[in-house]
Amino acid sequence: MRLIIAEKPSLARAIADALPGAAKRSDGTIQVGDTIVSWCLGHLLEQASPDAYDSRYKQWRLDHLPIVPEHWKLMPRSKARGQLKVLRGLIKQANEIVHAGDPDREGQLLVQEVIEYLGWKGPVSRLLINDLNRPAIRQALARLEDNRIYLPLYRAAEARSRADWLYGINLSRAWTLTGRQAGHDGVLSVGRVQTPVLGLVVRRDQAIARFEPRPFHVLWVDFKVEQGIVRGWWQPGEQHPLDDQGRLLQRGPAESLAAQLPGAMGAVSKLEARTKRQAPPLPYSLSALQVDAARRYKLSAKAVLDTCQSLYERHRLITYPRSDCRYLPEAHLLEARKTLRGACTDDPTLSSWLAGADFTLRSKAWNDKQVGAHHALAPTGLRPDFTRLSASEANVFRLIARNVLAQFYPALQTREVKAEFSVLDERFRTQGQEVLVPGWKPLFTTRDEAPPLPSMREGEQATVVDQAVEDRETRPPEPFTDASLIKAMMNIARYVDDPEVKRTLRDTDGLGTEATRAGILETLLDRRYLVRQGSALRATRTGQALINALPDAATRPERTALWEQRLRAIAEGEDQPAPFMTNLIADLHTLLAGADTQRMRQALSSAEGFEAAEVKRGRGRTSRRDTSNKRTASKPGTTKRAPRSNRRARTTNS
């Protein structure tokens, strides 16, 4: 008997539907001929709690740390025992097993750890599915691989799981205990990804709070040239009071010049024009889609992920969504016309875009060298019934289809113009853009574009017809939103100061993964370290205090992003888990040495002061207060509720 183990029931049903023969369903299985398809329910197993290694770890004590298991243990999740029992019985009957986890690191882990936990010693094949439609699954079933090829991927995922346990358990216990000693009555959860993400928000909030607006002044002039009117902006010289960005700090010089300008004659002293070609935006990875959907439709990162999962599993309209790739296999190009016709025919917007597509074009998106275990999100070609889609599902589906359709549109061609005017020995600058060939651009914007600059030539006369001085203020940084925080996690090198580390991080996948970023934001919200204020994400008092109390290295992205780089090297067979774990344990000792009650007390006091100052400024909201402690608190010095706290800390897997 052949046993196929899928990652979840929806995938198992799709596999069974693609097998030849009638399906017979029973509890936890689907049988088709001599093949039985069963499934996991996400992770059936989890890392054992500390007290499973030693009963004394039920009590949270600083002198127990760091807790480092000598031999690692897995335990069944409480809600998964029934399905694990089903799989145990099936494995005893099987003579062949097919691993059908999702095609990523976690998918490799969650099925393979079950196979190993249940003691299977026979052959294992690997089934990789990116598309839940029947023809795609049949093709995948016809090209099974030896699961041993993916052993490095499993080892990387296993190392990630163990490392997250070590990091989360030890640091969460250490800072929870010092927090109690400092008067904070609640669990303080620390994670190797969630905490640096929280650090980004805390530092942004602090920058906003510290910001003092400064006035500056601008002088604009409308020039009459042969072909129309052009607005230019005065470029004051260094003899005037300027800030570090060249902004004028006193109004007087601008007013004095403005008084001399009416009717003044000048000339176009410099003119630069160049034609620019811009290829269409690539198809989406999950994170890129989350950024665009948040901006366009105000959807949270989790809402976009859930919507994509529904489009993939329930409606089967898109390919595997948890992808970090923005390229498509070259073989898909041959079927693109048929696929997009199926996906776009029944929607007026998509149909109009489809009508303008030129399928003789080939963009850089079709590139096998850029495609790994995943490819970019794309329609499967199944015809959507838009009456059965929610508004979010329809909107997200259109975005995904649009970015693939755009690959069959010409490049956007523009004429970029920069001009400089000289009047009364002063310089004025302007710049603008003229669209020569709209190409793919109409698919991406409905906004009215700024009118292009009129045609000009260097040396032609320019006459002042209007002018004014405007008073402005410098603006604080914008608070993070779902879109900007996901983008920050994708481009984490921008938030790193060390030049060498910055260069290294540009080649990594950023902070977190496509599959985890939305969950990280929700975790921080659920644990009341962040709150939403409209579309903004702001840190609570507890979030502020935790970041201020931790060693700086634990709150910044360098360590965890480099950690992901090491895990990627393990997954690609270029490194081994043992050195990675050894380095991590050494890091733990260093970090734990920074658990200090006095620093925690100061951090709590500072957070209280920050919140009071925000309220006084009119920026604070009562919703930024953290009231979650009442639900998770344990009295300082007691151990009665430590097992509950332990469970919270144990799930700090990011």
Side-chain angles (χ1 to χ4, degrees):
M1 181 265 286
R2 179 173 69 164
L3 172 63
I4 300 177
I5 304 177
E7 180 164 331
K8 53 180 77 74
S10 58
L11 178 59
R13 290 191 294 269
I15 293 170
D17 288 346
L19 292 169
K24 180 181 178 182
R25 299 173 187 268
S26 60
D27 187 25
T29 68
I30 306 172
Q31 184 166 359
V32 184
D34 64 350
T35 297
I36 291 181
V37 185
S38 190
W39 53 84
C40 300
L41 302 166
H43 281 280
L44 298 182
L45 303 169
E46 62 185 357
Q47 293 292 338
S49 60
D51 57 272
Y53 297 98
D54 192 324
S55 60
R56 66 194 177 102
Y57 294 148
K58 286 184 179 179
Q59 184 179 20
W60 289 29
R61 292 171 56 101
L62 286 170
D63 58 3
H64 289 162
L65 306 180
I67 300 170
V68 181
E70 186 175 345
H71 301 289
W72 288 88
K73 299 178 182 179
L74 293 173
M75 298 181 67
R77 290 181 179 270
S78 58
K79 295 182 180 179
R81 294 182 186 277
Q83 189 61 21
L84 198 62
K85 183 178 179 181
V86 169
L87 288 170
R88 189 187 301 275
L90 293 172
I91 279 179
K92 290 178 180 178
Q93 305 170 44
N95 51 37
E96 177 190 357
I97 287 181
V98 177
H99 179 318
D102 281 351
D104 59 15
R105 196 168 71 192
E106 288 306 300
Q108 187 66 34
L109 173 68
L110 70 83
V111 173
Q112 189 161 340
E113 67 183 3
V114 168
I115 294 170
E116 295 194 0
Y117 180 81
L118 295 177
W120 174 258
K121 303 298 182 184
V124 180
S125 300
R126 186 64 165 100
L127 174 62
L128 296 169
I129 294 175
N130 276 300
D131 182 337
L132 291 185
N133 288 307
R134 189 175 299 171
I137 294 176
R138 285 179 174 168
Q139 290 176 16
L141 285 163
R143 54 173 188 265
L144 296 177
E145 298 181 81
D146 189 332
N147 189 57
R148 288 177 294 185
I149 297 172
Y150 296 92
L151 184 61
L153 193 66
Y154 170 62
R155 295 301 176 208
E158 183 181 58
R160 193 279 312 153
S161 177
R162 292 174 176 179
D164 278 339
W165 187 97
L166 287 170
Y167 199 90
I169 289 290
N170 285 291
L171 298 191
S172 295
R173 287 193 173 203
W175 267 267
T176 295
L177 291 169
T178 55
R180 289 176 183 172
Q181 293 168 2
H184 178 77
D185 194 12
V187 173
L188 291 173
S189 174
V190 182
R192 57 101 184 179
V193 177
Q194 71 167 42
T195 303
V197 172
L198 176 60
L200 290 176
V201 179
V202 168
R203 281 185 281 274
R204 176 64 60 85
D205 282 355
Q206 291 171 345
I208 293 170
R210 288 193 301 264
F211 182 83
E212 295 293 339
R214 291 183 299 170
F216 68 97
H217 313 276
V218 297
L219 166 60
W220 57 260
V221 174
D222 284 345
F223 292 100
K224 175 71 173 69
V225 293
E226 290 180 11
Q227 300 296 322
I229 304 293
V230 183
R231 176 161 294 185
W233 303 86
W234 182 39
Q235 306 299 302
E238 294 182 357
Q239 71 273 24
H240 299 297
L242 307 176
D243 67 8
D244 57 0
Q245 296 187 37
R247 292 176 293 211
L248 185 66
L249 298 178
Q250 293 180 6
R251 203 174 198 276
E255 287 182 324
S256 176
L257 177 58
Q260 304 173 54
L261 284 170
M265 305 286 289
V268 179
S269 55
K270 185 185 294 185
L271 185 68
E272 297 177 6
R274 65 187 182 107
T275 301
K276 184 178 177 183
R277 289 173 54 90
Q278 188 176 347
L282 290 167
Y284 284 118
S285 64
L286 175 60
S287 289
L289 176 63
Q290 286 169 323
V291 170
D292 276 7
R295 288 174 173 167
R296 190 177 181 99
Y297 300 116
K298 308 302 181 187
L299 294 174
S300 71
K302 184 177 186 299
V304 177
L305 175 58
D306 291 345
T307 298
C308 285
Q309 284 296 131
S310 178
L311 289 170
Y312 173 64
E313 293 181 1
R314 180 183 174 194
H315 302 290
R316 303 188 186 184
L317 292 176
I318 65 169
T319 56
Y320 180 73
R322 297 175 182 239
S323 173
D324 60 354
C325 179
R326 299 198 67 175
Y327 293 85
L328 292 166
E330 294 171 21
H332 284 208
L333 181 60
L334 301 175
E335 297 292 323
R337 184 196 297 263
K338 179 181 176 182
T339 299
L340 290 168
R341 277 182 178 167
C344 301
T345 300
D346 292 336
D347 179 73
T349 301
L350 291 174
S351 293
S352 66
W353 292 344
L354 179 66
D358 180 355
F359 288 96
T360 65
L361 299 176
R362 172 172 176 155
S363 77
K364 63 180 181 180
W366 315 95
N367 189 338
D368 287 342
K369 293 179 180 178
Q370 298 289 344
V371 175
H374 316 293
H375 57 69
L377 279 67
T380 60
L382 198 65
R383 194 166 180 169
D385 180 353
F386 283 91
T387 64
R388 296 182 59 208
L389 300 183
S390 68
S392 293
E393 287 170 342
N395 287 334
V396 169
F397 178 74
R398 288 188 189 98
L399 289 179
I400 293 168
R402 178 200 66 181
N403 272 42
V404 178
L405 272 169
Q407 309 312 309
F408 300 101
Y409 274 72
L412 167 66
Q413 295 185 43
T414 56
R415 182 172 179 261
E416 311 284 339
V417 178
K418 293 182 180 180
E420 188 170 295
F421 300 87
S422 178
V423 181
L424 302 177
D425 295 326
E426 297 288 346
R427 291 181 303 128
F428 297 80
R429 286 180 183 166
T430 190
Q431 61 183 30
Q433 181 187 87
E434 179 183 0
V435 175
L436 302 177
V437 178
W440 51 266
K441 185 69 172 176
L443 278 65
F444 285 76
T445 181
T446 56
R447 296 194 307 264
D448 292 333
E449 299 291 340
L453 297 178
S455 178
M456 293 179 285
R457 68 180 189 280
E458 193 167 313
E460 77 170 275
Q461 182 175 298
T463 304
V464 175
V465 294
D466 198 7
Q467 70 285 317
V469 177
E470 293 184 0
D471 300 326
R472 299 184 180 180
E473 274 192 342
T474 55
R475 299 178 62 183
E478 293 290 333
F480 277 114
T481 63
D482 280 67
S484 61
L485 193 51
I486 289 285
K487 192 167 185 178
M489 294 165 75
M490 293 167 62
N491 302 289
I492 199 61
R494 296 178 184 175
Y495 299 87
V496 172
D497 296 327
D498 186 300
E500 189 166 341
V501 174
K502 185 186 286 282
R503 282 194 296 272
T504 302
L505 293 183
R506 287 197 186 103
D507 298 328
T508 70
D509 291 332
L511 200 57
T513 66
E514 305 293 321
T516 62
R517 285 173 186 145
I520 289 162
L521 299 193
E522 293 304 312
T523 294
L524 291 169
L525 290 161
D526 290 345
R527 292 176 178 168
R528 305 294 179 90
Y529 297 147
L530 296 181
V531 292
R532 282 199 171 93
Q533 293 182 357
S535 62
L537 292 168
R538 307 298 295 266
T540 63
R541 181 181 59 193
T542 299
Q544 293 269 354
L546 178 58
I547 294 303
N548 292 336
L550 284 163
D552 195 54
T555 72
R556 294 192 176 272
E558 286 88 338
R559 172 185 275 103
T560 191
L562 291 172
W563 189 347
E564 282 294 333
Q565 190 179 45
R566 291 288 299 274
L567 291 172
R568 175 190 256 180
I570 295 169
E572 294 174 354
E574 299 171 357
D575 201 351
Q576 295 298 317
F580 168 71
M581 298 298 288
T582 299
N583 290 341
L584 169 62
I585 292 166
D587 271 350
L588 275 179
H589 283 278
T590 302
L591 290 169
L592 290 169
D596 179 74
T597 302
Q598 182 59 30
R599 179 169 176 170
M600 175 62 76
R601 191 173 287 116
Q602 291 172 350
L604 290 167
S605 176
S606 175
E608 289 279 4
F610 176 85
E611 185 177 62
E614 284 288 271
V615 171
K616 187 175 181 181
R617 289 170 181 261
R619 296 173 181 163
R621 305 275 181 90
T622 55
S623 62
R624 290 185 66 179
R625 281 191 165 274
D626 175 28
T627 58
S628 62
N629 296 336
K630 294 179 181 178
R631 296 183 291 107
T632 62
S634 298
K635 292 182 180 180
T638 67
T639 60
K640 185 176 180 180
R641 300 185 68 177
R644 179 179 179 185
S645 300
N646 183 38
R647 285 197 299 274
R648 297 260 323 241
R650 190 176 66 237
T651 59
T652 307
N653 57 8
S654 58

